[in-house]
């Protein structure tokens, strides 16, 4: 299996990490990879919209400033509705998460780019950070009362024997589900796109069946539209769930 | 080609197969966990700081200023509308006042003119009445005078007739008495 031939039809090939600049940080590998490059590009896209777009501070906004304002108000409404006014202290975090995931997902949809959110370590890194922040803030703010989260009010002592372990289990599974949801959605979508692309290549090389090659191409077109929806939706879901989990730290009473 | 694709898939799904990261499913390749986490923390941290310290307060400021501007403008518009309504009311009032004044003036002038006309007419009537009375008086005088003359003529005529009929001169005193009796 030649490297070039494999890359044409191998749907996994797109997820390979390529080291661009090897770096070593106190004995830890800190190489600048294609993953880091596209994270930086995603962050750069957010910076262009949010910083350059708003630099005019116009009363009647430009298109870019309108985008920045829409993003701001969308995220602010989301935080306010989920966490209330007290949750606005986490607004910068939720906003940055939402925009970062959204930008990375949208950039990843372009051919020859890299989908950062299809790396489990990235989504897990974000998800576990959120959960640790939620636990830390909850204990800081409410002390041991924060653990009342695991015992819903109105549950008797006997029922608690069953309910509390379930609640603890569901709490522990939060970072896993949060990270796997985003990771799996992006991974599956990009594998699908690559598989359909591989079909095109294979059909073109299949002699008499070459005339069928446009069919998977049409499929890619439809899938790309669908993936666009998934990209935006998963960024939104990730941000909303972040709000929900942070809300538990803000208001631990059930 | 097709078999190659299948092999590629198979190779990809054999996740726990070998520790050599060439065969590991790329997203689960722990070789690159550390560098990715380091760059994620670095890039996300910088992005978070830029958003939290610069971008979001700036957008919040823009939105607040816009809200303030809109409410200010609306207030100014409401005030201008109220002013316009007040001005219209004042205008109406002035107009009504002027109208009433003009009407009063007209009535006054009318009344004055009527009074003047009445006065001059009364004066004229009085004058005419006086002239009429004078004329009537004159007529009466003339009449009495004429009547006195008529007595004298009647006496003369009666005297002449008597003289002519009787051929004798009648007593003038008796004739006067007779004429007076006849007249009565």
């Amino acid at each position: 299996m030649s490297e070039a031939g494999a890359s044409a039809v191998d749907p996994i090939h797109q997820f390979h990490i390529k080291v661009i600049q090897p770096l070593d940080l106190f004995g830890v590998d800190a190489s600048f990879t294609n993953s880091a490059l596209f994270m930086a590009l995603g962050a750069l896209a957010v910076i262009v919209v949010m910083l350059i777009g708003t630099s005019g501070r116009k009363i009647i906004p430009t298109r870019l400033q309108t985008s920045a304002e829409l993003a701001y108000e969308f995220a602010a409404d989301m935080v306010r509705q989920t966490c209330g006014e007290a949750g606005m202290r986490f607004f910068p975090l939720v906003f940055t998460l939402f925009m970062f995931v959204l930008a990375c997902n949208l950039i990843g949809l372009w051919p020859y780019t890299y989908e950062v959110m299809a790396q489990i370590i990235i989504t897990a890194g974000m998800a576990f950070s959120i959960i640790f922040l939620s636990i830390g803030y909850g204990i800081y703010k409410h002390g041991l009362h924060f653990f009342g989260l695991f015992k819903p009010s109105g549950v008797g002592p006997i029922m608690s024997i069953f309910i509390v372990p379930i609640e603890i289990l569901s709490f522990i599974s939060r970072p896993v589900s949060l990270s796997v949801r985003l990771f799996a959605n992006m991974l599956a979508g990009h594998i699908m796109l690559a598989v359909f692309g591989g079909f095109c290549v294979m059909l073109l090389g299949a002699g008499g069946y070459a005339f069928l090659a446009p069919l998977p191409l049409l499929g890619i077109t439809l899938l790309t539209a669908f993936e666009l929806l998934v990209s935006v939706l998963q960024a939104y879901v990730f941000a909303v769930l972040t709000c929900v989990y942070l809300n538990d730290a803000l208001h631990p009473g059930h | 080609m097709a078999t190659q694709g299948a092999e590629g898939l198979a190779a990809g799904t054999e996740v726990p197969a070998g520790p050599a990261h060439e065969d590991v499913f790329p997203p689960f390749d722990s070789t690159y966990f550390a560098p990715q986490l380091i760059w994620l923390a670095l890039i996300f941290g910088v992005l978070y700081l830029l958003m939290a310290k610069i971008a979001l307060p700036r957008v919040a400021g823009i939105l607040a200023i816009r809200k303030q501007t809109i409410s200010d403008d609306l207030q100014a518009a409401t005030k201008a509308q109220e002013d316009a309504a007040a001005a219209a009311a004042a205008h109406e009032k002035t107009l009504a006042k002027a109208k009433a004044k003009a009407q009063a003036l007209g009535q006054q002038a009318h009344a004055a003119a009527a009074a003047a006309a009445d006065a001059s007419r009364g004066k004229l009537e009085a004058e005419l009445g006086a002239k009429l009375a004078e004329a009537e008086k004159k007529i009466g005088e003339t009449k009495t005078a004429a009547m006195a003359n008529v007595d004298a003529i009647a006496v003369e005529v009666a005297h002449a007739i008597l003289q002519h009929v009787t051929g004798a001169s009648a007593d003038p005193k008796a004739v006067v008495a007779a004429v007076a009796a006849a007249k009565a």
Side-chain angles (χ1 to χ4, degrees):
Chain A
M1 186 157 79
S2 72
E3 192 59 38
S7 70
V9 288
D10 177 8
I12 307 301
H13 186 264
Q14 58 176 322
F15 302 115
H16 274 297
I17 300 268
K18 291 186 192 74
V19 175
I20 295 169
Q21 175 62 51
L23 279 172
D24 191 82
L25 198 74
F26 309 116
V28 181
D29 183 14
S31 304
F32 190 76
T33 59
N34 52 354
S35 160
L37 172 67
F38 280 95
M39 273 194 272
L41 286 177
L44 195 68
V46 178
I47 287 167
V48 165
V49 173
M50 294 310 297
L51 281 179
I52 297 174
T54 60
S55 58
R57 293 185 177 81
K58 291 197 173 64
I59 293 290
I60 298 159
T62 57
R63 288 180 192 193
L64 211 54
Q65 192 184 322
T66 306
S67 315
E69 287 172 15
L70 282 176
Y72 178 95
E73 287 186 321
F74 177 74
D77 282 349
M78 179 165 74
V79 175
R80 228 178 254 124
Q81 280 171 12
T82 322
C83 304
E85 209 53 52
M88 288 309 277
R89 65 166 58 239
F90 292 120
F91 170 60
L93 176 68
V94 175
F95 180 85
T96 312
L97 274 171
F98 173 64
M99 293 301 277
F100 182 62
V101 174
L102 183 67
C104 286
N105 282 353
L106 292 181
I107 287 173
L109 272 181
W110 288 79
Y112 299 109
T113 59
Y114 191 80
E115 176 57 54
V116 183
M117 296 303 153
Q119 291 291 319
I120 184 74
I121 189 65
I122 300 291
T123 60
M126 292 191 295
F128 277 94
S129 303
I130 291 161
I131 296 302
F132 286 139
L133 173 70
S134 162
I135 294 171
Y137 185 78
I139 292 172
Y140 161 73
K141 199 79 184 167
H142 302 282
L144 290 177
H145 179 66
F146 173 68
F147 294 102
L149 190 65
F150 301 126
K151 187 185 170 297
S153 59
V155 174
I158 298 165
M159 277 305 283
S160 290
I161 297 168
F162 303 101
I163 298 291
V164 170
I166 291 171
E167 288 284 338
I168 290 172
L169 203 65
S170 95
F171 188 86
I172 289 169
S173 65
R174 275 176 178 184
V176 178
S177 69
L178 187 61
S179 53
V180 169
R181 181 182 301 109
L182 178 59
F183 158 71
N185 266 289
M186 300 327 293
L187 183 83
H190 283 77
I191 288 177
M192 284 281 278
L193 286 173
V195 165
F196 273 70
F199 283 167
C200 272
V201 175
M202 283 188 268
L203 278 170
L204 283 174
Y209 293 108
F211 72 95
L212 286 173
L215 283 178
L217 189 67
L218 186 70
I220 293 175
T221 311
L222 297 174
L223 265 179
T224 305
F226 179 69
E227 281 309 310
L228 190 65
L229 172 76
V230 171
S231 295
V232 179
L233 197 68
Q234 285 306 318
Y236 174 69
V237 166
F238 195 87
V240 163
L241 285 174
T242 302
C243 288
V244 169
Y245 297 159
L246 289 172
N247 184 45
D248 279 343
L250 287 160
H251 315 104
H254 257 270
Chain B
M1 288 293 265
T3 49
Q4 270 182 359
E7 275 169 20
L9 260 175
T13 44
E14 280 170 6
V15 177
H21 70 82
E22 285 301 322
D23 298 333
V24 177
F25 185 52
F28 295 144
D29 183 358
S30 60
T31 320
Y32 296 113
F33 278 6
Q36 288 200 81
L37 275 180
I38 288 167
W39 283 101
L40 171 68
L42 187 72
I43 291 165
F44 190 85
V46 169
L47 186 64
Y48 175 81
L49 283 179
L50 285 176
M51 292 299 114
K53 298 293 171 205
I54 304 174
L56 295 178
R58 189 191 281 172
V59 177
I62 291 169
L63 294 177
I65 288 169
R66 179 169 314 136
K67 205 175 162 189
Q68 187 62 43
T69 311
I70 288 172
S71 80
D72 281 358
D73 286 1
L74 272 179
Q75 254 174 356
T78 315
K79 197 173 166 294
Q81 202 177 25
E82 276 167 7
D83 285 354
H91 176 249
E92 284 287 311
K93 210 171 141 190
T94 317
L95 203 67
K97 227 178 181 174
K99 234 178 183 172
K101 202 171 160 189
Q103 234 162 14
L105 263 174
Q107 263 172 353
Q108 214 176 338
H110 184 74
D118 276 353
S120 62
R121 195 176 61 194
K123 198 174 148 198
L124 205 62
E125 270 174 359
E127 258 173 43
L128 287 176
K131 272 186 185 163
L132 203 63
E134 205 181 327
E136 266 170 8
K137 201 176 138 196
K138 262 185 189 163
I139 289 168
E141 275 168 17
T142 317
K143 208 174 165 184
T144 34
M147 277 310 188
N149 290 347
V150 165
D151 280 356
I153 291 165
V155 170
E156 236 170 80
V157 168
H159 190 80
I161 291 168
L162 273 174
Q163 204 167 34
H164 188 71
V165 172
T166 59
S169 172
D171 184 21
K173 277 188 184 171
V175 172
V176 170
V179 168
K183 208 174 100 184

